[in-house]
Every structure is written in structure tokens, then in C-alpha cells.
Amino acid sequence: MKQPWWKEAVVYQIYPRSFQDSNGDGIGDLPGIVSRLDYLNDLGVNVIWLSPVYESPNDDNGYDISNYYGIMKDFGTMADWKSLLNGLHERGMKLVMDLVVNHTSDEHPWFIESRKAQTSPKREFYIWRPPRNGKEPNNWASFFSPSAWKFDPATGEYYLHLFSEKQPDLNWENPQVQTEIFSMIQWWLDQGIDGFRMDVINFIGKPAGLLDSPRAPTHPDGYVHDPSFYANQPFTHTLLHKLNREVLSLYDVMTVGETPEVTPETASLYVAPDRQELNMVFQFELMGVDAGPNGKWDVQPWKLSDFKRLVSKWQTGLAGRGWNSLYLSNHDQPRQVSRFGDDKQYRLESAKLLATLLHTLQGTPYIYQGEELGMTNVAFPRLDDYRDLETFHFAATARKQGYDESWIMNAIHRVSRDNARTPMPWNSQKNAGFTTGTPWIDLNPNFSNINVSQALADPNSVLRYYQALIRLRRQEPTVVVGTYVPLLENHEQLFVYQRRGPNTLLIILNFCGQTTRWSVNEAQAVGLTPHAILLLSNYPDMVNDSAKSSPSLSEFQPWEARVYRLES
Ligand code: GLC
Ligand code: CA
């Protein structure tokens, strides 16, 4: 049966600011991306998700939009954007734009007008409330500042901002907001784009009454970080269904919602085809595997059995109900090889193992720029070297809570979003070929070893392995359509599963830096017999060896990954 194109797709996310600078101002831009389209095409990906390129004062690197119809000057012009779209389409690739409509910039003309007077015609475009006992209207914390409310002296009221003060939340209850945003979406679709990634889309409908969260304060000033309190409101589903019926369904496009706070149950309400809302959502449960009781900055060791349980929960939880999106990295997450692999001795092996996981689960894989090189976290020595407002907010809060500087810097080194935002290393020359000027954020100093030209020259590079995985997806339909069958679920070294479709695939991932051995019986129990055909491995000798006679059949090297097809 023919699948919708987005099920067979491999998506590649570009963070434009950090991809390729073309004019020496130190900031990546659209002409820079256009100059790298052949690289992306050769990698084999066929959909590009572009993080926001709209006009923005860049409080949050473009996730604060001041004009939805214009391109940020730093990134180029509408003509540059059109040549990107055309360049992709000429190569048979597609373009997915970021859609940021939970909030705008405070420099958007709507907000400038809204804040002028309580009687402003745009007042109800945002969420304004009078003070409560001289303070904020409720106890909600913001992601990027202590309170989610900002007092505006001009009119004596507070406005809601779940993110920074410069990102006021839109009031989706207002039909005019719906009309404006829907026609903006339609305008972009009419430019010929192929879909949207929808930023925190499950926050757009706010709970009636905007009541206090009943949870204990998470911030020293008494505010409560509790996104579950406003995520996934019924009104959000009403809006997304309406958007689907009135706009999206008129085009052959894909949609993926960024949805913190979803479980397979609540996610299926967005992605079940008969509900006519979205095609896919990004879940955050797996990204929480190393978060402690105090959240993401409270980084904890994670157990493979927990990691597998979360993967399996989504693989089986959405099976037959909706389509999974698969990611281990993006512009908000640390680098996957540093987080889930070994970025030192086994960087290559573990980066490839993680790639094997990403590409052989059920769902559409999303690659984040530089992941295909096995890029690592960066550990800048000083807070000043960082650029991300979330990182600064964390540091300020942690200081207030009494954490010392070394604990704070350590947490930043582990999970700051800037780990993912260092410039793309194209070669080992000055500034890695990213810019001829001064980069807006420093490069990862390991670019002399980890860069695109090195990876292209090395047949055993992570990049070459990504190409092989993408080819496998095109050649073996079971990768796309097969069901997921977890095996050895409690094993703390091995991640083993089958995919069952037209063929049966067996995937074995030795998720640790030690050798793991199986008895013949253990191997046979998961289907690994001498008849199994090895399709791919991150230990090149394995593939060259005839797997059949290999004595290492049931001995797995550190971070070894193998994909077999089983004889039926
Ligand atoms: C999403 C984006 C993130 C941004 C936030 C606010 O989580 O991925 O980068 O800061 O929304 O728009
Ligand atoms: Ca530039």
C-alpha cells in the first residue's frame, strides 16, 4: 500500500543561525543554506525543517516573531527564501517551515498596538489581566523568567508570557486571532511549502479562568513551573481540528506538533487520522529520561531499561493509532552522542549506534544538523560564552537557590541548548568554514577533527553511516511499515527489537562501552541464527566478514549495532 510521503521521509532540521554564513557577518543565512543543498541531497534526507527565519528581534533566536510575512534581515530576503524553496524542489526535496503561533514578539505590530490602551482594537489579541492583590494574576512560572506575567505600567495590567517577556502569548479565544493566523498559514502554503513544524502547539488553548497551579513552588519567588496545567486543553483540539479542516487539508502537506507533556494517550488525540488534527507530534518523555525531580537541569544518570521502556511505550502506544516522530536531538537538546553515547573513546561507534536506533524504529526520523557528524556537547568555560536566554534564566535561578558556580556550569555543560547551537563545522580551516567573520557563538573547539570534509573523506565516518541507514529505509519497506516488537526488555546493556512487516528485521544495540556475550541459546531466542543476514553494522569488519561463519556472532563489541534480516 502506498504510504503518505511523510511516512517514508527522512527529515533534517536546520538551525539557520548556525548552519552556514555567506556574507561574513558571523550569522548563518539563507544563501548559506542554498550553497549547501547538494550536501543535504547527498546525505539522502528529503525534507528540510527550517527553524524560524521570519522577522524577529531575536530575543529567542527567531522564536519571537515580529512579522510573519517577512524574512529576518540577518538571514536574507524573500528572494533568498524563494531560491531555497526552488533549490529544494529542483532536487526532489521538500521544505517544512516552523510555525510559532503560541506567542509573537512584543515587537509585533499587534502587541505594540495592544499595549497602548485597554480599549485598543488589538487589546484582545493577547492575554491581559488586572493585578491580583497588587501582584501577578496567578502563580504560573515562565520557561525563561520567574513569573509568566509582566506588568505593563502604561495600562496598569499584566500580560501573559509562558516564554520570555518578549514573547507575549496570543489569545486564541479571539476569533480575529484565529482568522489572522489561519490566513497567514494559508499564505505560506500558497508559496508552495510542504508543511509545518508547530512550536509548542499544545499550549495555544489556555485553561478557563487561568487559575493557580496547585503544585508546590518550583521557583524561589514562589512561582510554579507546571506546563501540564495548561497543556493539551480541549480548546486546543478544537482549534487544530478547525485549522485542519479549513486550511491544512486543502494541501498535500505534513504537520508535526511540538508537544511537551504528552503521553501516547494524549498524543493520539492529535495524531489519530480520524480526528483530523496533525500528522505527528514530538513527545518529550524520552528526553526526560535523564531529568531529576527538579527538572532538566537536575541531570541524573539514566538506566537503559528506563530508556527502552519509554521508547517501547511510544512504539506500541501509538501503533495502529497514529504515526511516531523520532528524534534524539534538536536545537533545544544537548548533543545525543554526549548525552546517550560516549563522546570520547567510542564517539564514532556510539554515534552510529544512536543513529541505528533513530532510523530503525517505527516512525519518521528527524536528524538535527551536525548529528550526522557525531557532533558533541561543548563546555564553554564562562557563562558569558553562552547566548541562550534559557541558560541565563537557569543560572540566575540556581544562584538564587544557593547552588555554587561549578554545579551551575556543570549543568550548563550537560544540558544547555547552546550545546546544539555551535556552528556547523564544514572543514578544519578558520572558523570551520562557517564564517569568514566572527561567529555569533563560538565553535566547538573540536571542529578540527569533527567536520564535514573529514567525514566525506572517511568511508567509516558517522556521515557515511547515516547515508547507509537512509538507503536502508529506501530499500527495505519493513523499516517504514513493520511493527515493533521489543525483546529482552530488562537487559541493561542490550537494546534488542524486531520489526515485522514484509520481512522480519532484528536490531541489536550493545548500548555500553563493554563487550556483551550471548550463549547460542540466548542468540537463538531472539532469532539470531547463522542464517540471519547482516544488513548493516557499525563495526565495518563485521559486514566484510561473512556474518555466517563469524565466531563473533553472539559477541557484541562496545557500542556495536547490527541490523539483520531474518530468513522467513
Ligand atoms: C519551542 C522551541 C524553543 C523555543 C520555545 C518558545 O520549545 O523549540 O526553541 O524557545 O518553543 O518559542
Ligand atoms: Ca550572514
Side-chain angles (χ1 to χ4, degrees), residues 141 143 202-203 215 224-233 260-261:
F143 280 83
N202 62 333
F203 292 177
R215 293 204 184 159
V224 187
H225 179 70
D226 184 10
S228 67
F229 198 71
Y230 45 77
N232 306 321
Q233 295 295 311
E261 307 291 334

Side-chain angles (χ1 to χ4, degrees), residues 16-17 20-32 73-76 434-435:
R17 215 175 173 73
Q20 174 71 72
D21 179 22
S22 72
N23 60 354
D25 66 357
I27 300 173
D29 47 45
L30 293 168
K73 294 208 174 44
D74 287 342
F75 289 167
F434 166 70
T435 182

Side-chain angles (χ1 to χ4, degrees), residues 114-182:
S114 183
R115 78 193 312 175
K116 278 189 188 155
Q118 292 195 19
T119 53
S120 154
K122 291 282 187 291
R123 188 67 167 180
E124 299 302 319
F125 268 53
Y126 297 86
I127 301 172
W128 293 94
R129 290 291 181 277
R132 185 180 62 170
N133 308 323
K135 292 175 52 187
E136 294 86 6
N138 70 26
N139 66 357
W140 297 1
S142 152
F143 280 83
F144 299 154
S145 64
S147 169
W149 295 92
K150 170 81 174 168
F151 185 70
D152 204 35
T155 54
E157 291 192 319
Y158 287 85
Y159 64 86
L160 179 69
H161 62 90
L162 294 180
F163 295 90
S164 90
E165 287 175 17
K166 290 184 65 62
Q167 294 169 299
D169 282 54
L170 282 166
N171 175 20
W172 277 88
E173 304 266 353
N174 181 348
Q176 284 179 285
V177 168
Q178 299 173 25
T179 310
E180 287 283 357
I181 299 288
F182 284 16

Side-chain angles (χ1 to χ4, degrees), residues 382-506:
R382 295 168 306 131
L383 190 58
D384 270 6
D385 300 322
Y386 287 83
R387 298 287 175 268
D388 174 27
L389 79 174
E390 186 201 38
T391 301
F392 297 138
H393 168 53
F394 158 71
T397 310
R399 280 180 190 152
K400 214 166 183 180
Q401 289 167 323
Y403 289 99
D404 65 35
E405 290 303 298
S406 72
W407 185 89
I408 294 171
M409 286 312 292
N410 181 53
I412 290 173
H413 293 165
R414 299 285 296 274
V415 287
S416 168
R417 306 196 298 181
D418 281 340
N419 281 305
R421 299 176 181 186
T422 63
M424 184 79 174
W426 295 99
N427 56 47
S428 58
Q429 270 131 56
K430 182 163 176 266
N431 292 326
F434 166 70
T435 182
T436 54
T438 308
W440 71 276
I441 186 171
D442 283 341
L443 288 122
N444 191 317
N446 62 18
F447 76 80
S448 41
N449 304 319
I450 303 175
N451 61 66
V452 169
S453 50
Q454 185 283 330
L456 288 173
D458 175 3
N460 288 326
S461 64
V462 179
L463 175 69
R464 294 296 183 198
Y465 192 79
Y466 268 77
Q467 289 175 320
L469 280 163
I470 296 170
R471 275 198 302 275
L472 181 67
R473 184 179 193 82
R474 311 262 180 261
Q475 286 159 8
E476 178 50 80
T478 305
V479 174
V480 178
V481 300
T483 55
Y484 167 88
V485 182
L487 299 163
L488 305 182
E489 289 169 86
N490 297 318
H491 204 294
E492 291 291 359
Q493 285 91 45
L494 294 172
F495 194 159
V496 185
Y497 49 96
Q498 289 184 356
R499 298 289 309 284
R500 295 192 191 150
N503 291 309
T504 298
L505 304 179
L506 170 67

Side-chain angles (χ1 to χ4, degrees), residues 174-196:
N174 181 348
Q176 284 179 285
V177 168
Q178 299 173 25
T179 310
E180 287 283 357
I181 299 288
F182 284 16
S183 45
M184 179 272 287
I185 291 173
Q186 182 138 19
W187 186 85
W188 279 101
L189 292 167
D190 289 338
Q191 305 309 302
I193 67 167
D194 305 290
F196 288 106

